[in-house]
């Protein structure tokens, strides 16, 4: 899970068998995004896993990739998210077909990106896709291949996982 503790953004794993902490990793955020302290957290996003990798997103600093033992595999740095009303970033990444997908909402516009889950290399990226969407994306298997479905204001869009084509 993600956590905000003593000014640090963390990814923490627990052992399923006994609930003991297995590991924790500091995201290393230089600046924390604005958020409402009584109602939110800069660690609101849910990490994604494919059973081999874990990907965490923090609106304050970007995406982090880990193995199951907590070893950091890669970082994809992003500037702190600015959101209308300073509610904080809560969108979560998903992993599908070896790719970590994130649609990042910001006051400056949204962007969708696909990163190789092993290396963190950007497979494709579309900036300025729509103004704030506020939804986690879903994978949709079709005869033509896997698509990422994103719901937005008055619009539902699907992107090809392999190349990002709409």
């Amino acid at each position: 899970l993600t956590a905000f503790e003593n000014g640090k953004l963390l990814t923490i794993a627990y052992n399923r068998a006994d609930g003991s902490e297995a590991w924790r990793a500091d995201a290393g955020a230089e600046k924390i995004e604005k958020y409402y302290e009584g109602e939110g957290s800069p660690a609101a996003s849910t990490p994604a896993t494919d059973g081999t990798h874990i990907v965490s997103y923090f609106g304050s600093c970007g995406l982090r990739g880990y193995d199951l033992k907590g070893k950091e595999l890669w970082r994809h740095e992003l500037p702190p998210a600015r959101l209308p009303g300073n509610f904080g970033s809560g969108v979560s990444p998903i992993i599908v077909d070896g790719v970590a997908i994130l649609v990042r909402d910001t006051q400056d516009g949204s962007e969708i990106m696909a990163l190789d889950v092993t290396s963190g290399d950007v497979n494709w990226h579309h900036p300025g896709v729509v103004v704030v969407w506020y939804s986690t994306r879903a994978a949709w298997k079709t005869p033509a291949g896997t698509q990422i479905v994103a719901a937005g204001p008055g619009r539902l869009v699907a992107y090809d996982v392999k190349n990002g084509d709409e």
Side-chain angles (χ1 to χ4, degrees), residues 39 68 70 79 83-84 97 110 120-121 131 137 148:
E39 300 175 25
L68 294 183
L83 292 158
D97 295 349
S110 294
D121 293 338
V131 181
R137 307 328 170 229
I148 298 303

Side-chain angles (χ1 to χ4, degrees), residues 106-122:
T106 69
Q107 187 169 324
D108 306 316
S110 294
E111 58 187 329
I112 184 170
M113 59 190 77
L115 286 72
D116 181 277
V117 75
T118 302
S119 67
D121 293 338
V122 176

Side-chain angles (χ1 to χ4, degrees), residues 6-83:
N6 299 321
K8 293 183 179 182
L9 293 167
L10 307 166
T11 299
I12 305 174
Y14 292 92
N15 291 306
R16 189 180 328 178
D18 62 9
S20 64
E21 186 175 307
W23 56 265
R24 64 176 47 210
D26 183 348
E30 292 180 21
K31 182 178 178 185
I32 302 299
E33 68 182 295
K34 291 184 179 182
Y35 69 99
Y36 283 110
E37 290 186 32
E39 300 175 25
S41 167
S45 299
T46 302
T49 186
D50 60 3
T52 303
H53 306 91
I54 298 167
V55 176
S56 296
Y57 168 69
F58 299 98
S60 299
C61 59
L63 290 157
R64 304 294 187 256
Y66 304 97
D67 68 15
L68 294 183
K69 295 187 184 232
K71 177 185 174 196
E72 185 176 296
L73 301 173
W74 52 266
R75 289 178 173 226
H76 183 77
E77 298 289 344
L78 293 166
R82 291 185 330 118
L83 292 158

Side-chain angles (χ1 to χ4, degrees), residues 103 105 130-138 148-159:
V103 176
D105 298 318
V130 167
V131 181
V132 185
W133 298 37
Y134 296 129
S135 68
T136 295
R137 307 328 170 229
I148 298 303
V149 180
R155 197 166 177 221
L156 183 67
V157 182
Y159 296 93

